[in-house]
């Protein structure tokens, strides 16, 4: 199996309670949303199809146990669900940074969800998949709000 990938890199985690930790990032290509303040429009098109084995080989080179699967929208490609399970099976600590409009139902329960809640100023608030809130595990998962103005607040 493969995934369409924009980039794979090693850096420092900049968001969530994991900020400051070394982290490998797998940035998936594509997102059906169009938040007006999106900072990753370069992921909307292009990318390269890479096999699971190819992605795992890059991650092994980095030698970092923390892996974030992000995008774009990481859950928009159906192959991502078995990929996340394989990451967990290999012993990685896995973060999923999702825009919140795809159901998290099929995400391996060992992965940690970082869930965006889209506020009105994003232009995409009506696409929030509210059922994702009910699946949040308070011991493991986190939520993120980008607040632009008082209406968002
Ligand atoms: S969900 Fe994320 S990647 Fe998609 S448009 Fe919004 S901010 Fe950009």
């Amino acid at each position: 199996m493969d995934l369409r990938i924009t980039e794979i890199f090693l850096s420092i985690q900049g968001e969530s309670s994991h900020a400051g930790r070394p982290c490998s990032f797998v940035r998936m290509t594509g997102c059906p949303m169009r938040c007006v303040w999106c900072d990753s429009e370069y992921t909307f098109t292009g990318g390269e199809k890479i096999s699971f084995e190819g992605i795992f080989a890059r991650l092994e080179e980095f030698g970092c146990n923390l892996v974030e699967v992000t995008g774009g929208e990481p859950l928009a490609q159906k192959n991502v669900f078995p990929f996340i399970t394989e990451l967990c099976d290999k012993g990685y600590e896995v973060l999923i940074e999702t825009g919140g409009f795809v159901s998290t139902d099929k995400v391996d329960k060992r992965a940690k969800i970082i869930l965006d809640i889209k506020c009105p100023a994003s232009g995409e608030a009506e696409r929030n998949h509210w059922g994702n809130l009910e699946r949040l595990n308070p011991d493991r998962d986190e939520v993120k709000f980008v607040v632009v103005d008082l209406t968002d607040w």
Side-chain angles (χ1 to χ4, degrees):
M1 278 193 276
D2 55 32
L3 291 165
R4 184 162 288 278
I5 300 291
T6 294
E7 55 185 353
I8 303 172
F9 59 98
L10 177 65
S11 186
I12 305 293
Q13 177 59 255
E15 297 189 1
S16 78
S17 66
H18 303 278
R21 298 178 61 190
C23 184
S24 298
F25 291 82
V26 178
R27 189 181 297 285
M28 314 266 292
T29 304
C31 180
M33 300 245 269
R34 290 294 179 267
C35 304
V36 295
W37 37 251
C38 181
D39 64 355
S40 48
E41 292 169 316
Y42 65 98
T43 67
F44 290 169
T45 57
E48 178 188 0
K49 275 195 172 183
I50 306 179
S51 66
F52 285 12
E53 293 72 22
I55 300 169
F56 291 136
R58 291 294 306 280
L59 295 176
E60 280 164 26
E61 278 173 32
F62 296 153
C64 180
N65 187 252
L66 182 66
V67 176
E68 175 168 302
V69 184
T70 185
E73 171 48 60
L75 303 184
Q77 297 185 47
K78 67 179 188 324
N79 283 353
V80 78
F81 300 105
F83 175 70
I84 291 168
T85 294
E86 284 197 40
L87 277 175
C88 294
D89 288 346
K90 289 177 181 295
Y92 286 107
E93 182 180 356
V94 182
L95 308 178
I96 310 297
E97 174 102 20
T98 174
F101 77 102
V102 179
S103 172
T104 57
D105 191 37
K106 292 182 185 158
V107 176
D108 193 293
K109 299 298 178 277
R110 293 169 292 180
K112 298 172 182 175
I113 301 287
I114 316 291
L115 178 69
D116 271 7
I117 308 294
K118 299 301 184 192
C119 297
S122 70
E124 293 286 23
E126 73 283 358
R127 298 178 77 181
N128 284 310
H129 184 91
W130 296 111
N132 285 338
L133 292 179
E134 290 160 21
R135 275 184 287 277
L136 288 170
N137 179 333
D139 297 326
R140 179 194 62 205
D141 301 331
E142 304 185 20
V143 294
K144 182 175 102 179
F145 299 82
V146 174
V147 174
V148 173
D149 53 25
L150 284 175
T151 303
D152 279 0
W153 180 249

